[in-house]
Amino acid sequence: MQYRTIGDTSVSAIGLGAMPLSIEHRPDESRAITTVHAALDAGVTLIDTADSYHWHADEVGHNERLVARALAHYGGDTSHVLIATKGGRGRPGDGSWTVDGDPEHLKRAAGASAKRLGVEAIGLYQLHKPDPAVPWAESVGALRDLVEAGTIRAAGISNVTTAQIREAHGILGDALVSVQNQYSPGVRDSEPQLRLSTELGLAFLPWSPLGGINRSSLDGPTGPTSAGTAFHRVAAERGVSPQRVALAWLLSRSPAVIPVPGASRPTSIADSALAADFELTESELTQLAPGNAAQKV
């Protein structure tokens, strides 16, 4: 397993996105915990979760509690595992998502997340999404207060513009260590945010990193996917999964990139973890380059 850094913490180059273990179409708890254990067995040391990763309205924090149980029941050492959670979104139980960037809400949410995770301080706490009803500086200011209070060790932001990254960096300084935006073979709108994150020394954690290759966890079993892309052709030539090629491509985009692919089966995360040591050739990278006319994603 190759490693990259988030702030001053070294983590596996591939993380685990734990969301599919708790939302709609989730597996039973036994398989969910086995999936987390498979990630740890494969050398994954970054697990991404959120208080809003749940299905029904009355189970806020379902994913955080699940991850905590999985770690507690793992046979090996987990002291080096970084749990990254998020606050600022909600799920009323009807399939929709809400946003709440009120500073007091974020502070209460972070405290509740720490209790569910069973930690004195959250390793990485991320503002899940900007709230258009709350000034960005006020929401980010809550992260600064949480760092100063010792509730969280480092802060991250998600679903943001370059201007919001710059403003947050000005407020948080070195306490800001990561940006998490959607970025994948099929969705490349966050290229500017990736470049800026690399420039500022921030880790860039693509969510839904297999878009254009696999369905998103939120799409459900009938959601759209693509086949016959350049990623599929390279995978067939190399005898590996398209997912592994996609994740290796993401890693090649910048040393700041740390993908967090979702998984609901042990075999899925075991395969994803192998991307950390899978090197693409220059010819293959040319085939996979943005704008390549041969791609159909």
Side-chain angles (χ1 to χ4, degrees):
M1 173 63 73
Q2 299 295 315
Y3 288 83
R4 295 192 170 185
T5 57
I6 300 179
D8 59 2
T9 302
S10 178
V11 299
S12 55
I14 299 291
L16 169 65
M19 181 177 71
L21 303 177
S22 290
I23 64 167
E24 295 86 333
H25 316 293
R26 66 194 182 198
D28 61 40
E29 180 159 321
S30 176
R31 194 176 90 190
I33 289 178
T34 300
T35 299
V36 176
H37 289 177
L40 299 173
D41 289 343
V44 171
T45 64
L46 170 64
I47 300 177
D48 182 73
T49 180
D51 60 1
S52 58
Y53 289 170
H54 60 89
W55 184 352
H56 307 292
D58 61 350
E59 53 179 21
V60 174
H62 181 282
N63 199 240
E64 292 172 324
R65 287 189 291 269
L66 176 67
V67 168
R69 286 195 296 274
L71 291 176
H73 290 93
Y74 185 63
D77 179 23
T78 60
S79 61
H80 59 299
V81 177
L82 175 64
I83 305 301
T85 192
K86 295 180 285 293
R89 300 209 74 179
R91 300 206 73 199
D94 59 0
S96 67
W97 294 76
T98 59
V99 183
D100 188 348
D102 176 76
E104 293 309 311
H105 167 76
L106 293 172
K107 293 174 185 179
R108 290 192 301 270
S113 289
K115 289 180 181 178
R116 285 189 289 264
L117 293 170
V119 297
E120 292 185 5
I122 297 170
L124 173 58
Y125 191 70
Q126 305 158 96
L127 180 54
H128 207 151
K129 187 176 183 178
D131 185 344
V134 179
W136 178 238
E138 292 184 11
S139 296
V140 175
L143 298 182
R144 179 196 56 214
D145 293 346
L146 286 165
V147 171
E148 292 176 352
T151 306
I152 69 176
R153 293 196 175 93
I157 51 178
S158 183
N159 299 300
V160 288
T161 65
T162 53
Q164 288 167 334
I165 295 172
R166 290 190 185 280
E167 185 174 1
H169 189 254
I171 295 169
L172 289 163
D174 291 341
L176 179 66
V177 299
S178 68
V179 171
Q180 185 169 169
N181 274 23
Q182 185 176 17
Y183 185 66
S184 69
V187 181
R188 307 188 189 192
D189 298 343
S190 284
E191 287 278 357
Q193 291 89 330
L194 169 57
R195 289 194 295 270
L196 179 57
S197 296
T198 303
E199 174 189 325
L200 295 175
L202 306 175
F204 186 86
L205 283 56
W207 63 262
S208 197
L210 300 176
I213 303 299
N214 269 5
R215 287 185 291 269
S216 164
S217 297
L218 291 178
D219 291 334
T222 59
T225 190
S226 300
T229 68
F231 291 85
H232 290 81
R233 290 193 292 276
V234 170
E237 292 168 0
R238 295 286 294 272
V240 300
S241 69
Q243 293 88 338
R244 197 182 308 179
V245 174
L247 293 171
W249 173 80
L250 284 166
L251 290 171
S252 76
R253 303 298 294 156
S254 164
V257 171
I258 305 172
V260 285
S264 60
R265 294 179 176 82
T267 52
S268 297
I269 188 57
D271 183 71
S272 291
L274 292 173
D277 295 306
F278 184 74
E279 293 189 12
L280 295 164
T281 67
E282 289 300 322
S283 174
E284 290 166 343
L285 288 171
T286 298
Q287 294 181 60
L288 303 175
N292 188 315
Q295 282 181 215
K296 297 178 181 178
V297 294

